[in-house]
Amino acid sequence: MASFTKRNGKWQARISWHDENGKLHQKAKSGFATKSQAKDYATKMENELINGVDIAADPVFADYFKTWYETYRLPKISKSTASNYRYTSNIISDYFGTMRIKQIKRSTYQTFLNEHGKNHSLGTMKEITTKIKACVKSAIADGIITKDFTFNATLVHDKARSRNPEYLSISELKQLIQGLNSELRVDNVNPYIVLTAIYTGARLSEIIALTWKDIDYLHRTIRINKSIDYRYSTGFKPTKNESSNRTIRVNDYLLKILSQLKANRTPLVFARTPESFNAHFPQTINDYLKSVMRQCGIVKRDYTFHSLRHSHVAFLLSQGIDIYAISKRLGHSNMTTTSNVYAYLIDEYKHKLDDEIEHKLAQL
């Protein structure tokens, strides 16, 4: 129910309603030049009440985001992922300040993307916007807002800071594998780790978490069901998400060389000694990979261990492997994720396939 009063030449609209427990609530807004404007506002508020919107709730966006991720995300994520949420939370707080969530329009959000994206890479902007979108969906589910102000927003980024990860050609992969084979010895697990990445496309944290129980020699599979938190040295942790739990088929060659490491008599496949549980760090592995690549005459300025995952995808695409099969092998939740992350590779091979299609059609 709405009531209207005129004070000092301006109109005020007051909306009253009872919640599901019978408690009376009121919301008032003043400053309307005409009674008609006040009625329009009251009608809008009443319609929102009918649609289940909590018109009394209008938290500061930064506060809502912090409460949301601490309630729904923090209990089930790693320390590393939690730091990414804190990073996004600080960015929201710095930019939006005390702006309330209902004040934010699509244009407001797009302006934020335009300004923040000028000095940040595509990867960073994707991380930030993914978290904000999830938070906004939660606010809609809570009945605080009715529209998604992130809808159809254009992602802006600094192209100079954003590079597609380099990947190796088939001939370069063969060179690298040959170089790694010459380094194989049980007291140096690094070449075994790199070879596992080449043949599986798995992440470093997943590979170094492998135990001998995860390797099935009979069915020629490797099971990914955990990872290692090498950043905070807390030991085992869950995989990146539920879809990352997967079983990967591998070739006999990889199984054969991995069996050499059984001589170390450790529960972990890639532990150097029974006591070394968490001795692998990205920089150590990256330095080793670059060293072997130099010895093989492969020059890639920005190539890192994670680039092996991209090389794995590039090779599978070159062999005509379906994107669905690749997505499952990588542990992505759906093909859309794979298509977005590896769009630059997919487009490259699409051009090659288009040429092949054109050639085939010319034969009709």
Side-chain angles (χ1 to χ4, degrees):
M1 189 176 87
S3 60
F4 308 95
T5 55
K6 189 175 185 180
R7 294 178 181 176
N8 301 321
K10 297 291 183 179
W11 284 91
Q12 179 194 74
R14 182 180 297 276
I15 301 94
S16 304
W17 74 98
H18 291 85
D19 62 23
E20 57 187 11
N21 297 317
K23 184 178 179 180
L24 176 66
H25 295 271
Q26 292 185 328
K27 182 179 178 67
K29 185 175 181 178
S30 305
F32 296 104
T34 64
K35 186 175 183 180
S36 177
Q37 291 177 346
K39 285 185 175 180
D40 288 343
Y41 170 78
T43 300
K44 179 183 176 182
M45 291 298 100
E46 288 173 340
N47 286 336
E48 288 192 358
L49 280 170
I50 293 171
N51 290 324
V53 177
D54 185 355
I55 64 173
D58 190 14
V60 171
F61 180 40
D63 294 341
Y64 182 82
F65 181 89
K66 186 173 185 293
T67 301
W68 166 75
Y69 93 76
E70 288 180 347
T71 303
Y72 294 101
R73 294 291 191 266
L74 202 57
K76 56 183 180 181
I77 59 178
S78 67
K79 288 186 177 181
S80 178
T81 304
S83 69
N84 292 335
Y85 275 95
R86 286 194 295 272
Y87 172 73
T88 302
S89 182
N90 290 335
I91 288 172
I92 292 172
S93 181
D94 291 342
Y95 184 86
F96 292 96
T98 58
M99 184 178 294
R100 298 189 177 276
I101 195 167
K102 289 182 179 179
Q103 292 178 277
I104 303 175
K105 301 177 181 179
R106 289 182 59 218
S107 59
T108 312
Y109 181 65
Q110 186 62 60
T111 301
F112 159 70
L113 294 181
N114 295 345
E115 294 182 5
H116 196 74
K118 287 188 296 185
N119 302 313
H120 292 84
S121 69
L122 178 61
T124 298
M125 293 304 295
K126 282 184 176 180
E127 282 281 344
I128 294 169
T129 55
T130 297
K131 292 174 175 58
I132 291 177
K133 286 179 180 178
C135 174
V136 171
K137 286 182 179 179
S138 178
I140 294 172
D142 286 341
I144 297 174
I145 55 177
T146 57
K147 295 183 179 180
D148 181 357
F149 58 74
T150 71
F151 174 74
N152 213 25
T154 301
L155 196 60
V156 177
H157 66 279
D158 181 1
K159 292 182 179 179
R161 297 171 185 261
S162 305
R163 296 189 182 94
N164 287 328
E166 292 186 287
Y167 62 93
L168 302 180
S169 65
I170 295 176
S171 61
E172 287 171 331
L173 273 175
K174 289 181 177 179
Q175 284 178 262
L176 179 57
I177 290 171
Q178 186 176 356
L180 292 166
N181 281 334
S182 66
E183 298 256 322
L184 294 178
R185 61 179 192 273
V186 296
D187 61 340
N188 178 22
V189 297
N190 287 332
Y192 297 90
I193 293 174
V194 176
L195 284 166
T196 302
I198 291 173
Y199 285 109
T200 66
R203 304 174 180 92
L204 175 61
S205 60
E206 296 170 340
I207 292 172
I208 61 177
L210 291 174
T211 66
W212 291 111
K213 292 181 180 180
D214 298 321
I215 301 181
D216 186 339
Y217 281 86
L218 178 62
H219 298 97
R220 293 180 299 171
T221 61
I222 291 179
R223 181 180 57 179
I224 306 291
N225 58 9
K226 58 190 174 302
S227 60
I228 278 184
D229 189 352
Y230 49 69
R231 183 173 180 180
Y232 292 96
S233 301
T234 57
F236 287 128
K237 65 174 183 177
T239 53
K240 187 174 183 179
N241 48 54
E242 186 60 33
S243 61
S244 293
N245 294 319
R246 61 201 188 277
T247 299
I248 302 173
R249 280 284 298 272
V250 294
N251 57 11
D252 290 329
Y253 168 73
L254 180 61
L255 294 174
K256 180 180 177 181
I257 63 169
L258 290 182
S259 65
Q260 298 172 10
L261 296 177
K262 290 183 177 181
N264 289 328
R265 299 183 180 279
T266 59
L268 286 170
V269 175
F270 300 108
R272 296 181 179 88
T273 67
E275 293 77 26
S276 61
F277 182 77
N278 194 20
H280 310 292
F281 297 92
Q283 191 56 51
T284 303
I285 298 296
N286 282 330
D287 289 344
Y288 172 76
L289 175 59
K290 290 177 181 178
S291 174
V292 176
M293 288 176 65
R294 282 195 300 269
Q295 294 173 26
C296 296
I298 302 172
V299 180
K300 300 283 184 181
R301 189 187 68 174
D302 298 316
Y303 202 84
T304 65
F305 186 90
H306 191 73
S307 301
L308 294 169
R309 189 166 163 89
H310 290 256
S311 295
H312 184 76
V313 174
F315 174 77
L316 295 180
L317 285 171
S318 72
Q319 302 303 302
I321 303 301
D322 182 76
I323 191 67
Y324 175 79
I326 295 175
S327 179
K328 290 297 182 182
R329 190 171 179 85
L330 296 177
H332 287 162
S333 57
N334 53 61
M335 288 188 292
T336 301
T337 301
T338 311
S339 298
N340 289 340
V341 174
Y342 299 100
Y344 69 101
L345 283 175
I346 294 169
D347 286 344
E348 180 176 329
Y349 285 101
K350 178 181 178 296
H351 293 320
K352 294 181 180 179
L353 289 174
D354 284 343
D355 291 339
E356 185 177 340
I357 291 171
E358 183 180 350
H359 176 70
K360 297 293 186 184
L361 290 174
Q363 298 176 15
L364 289 175

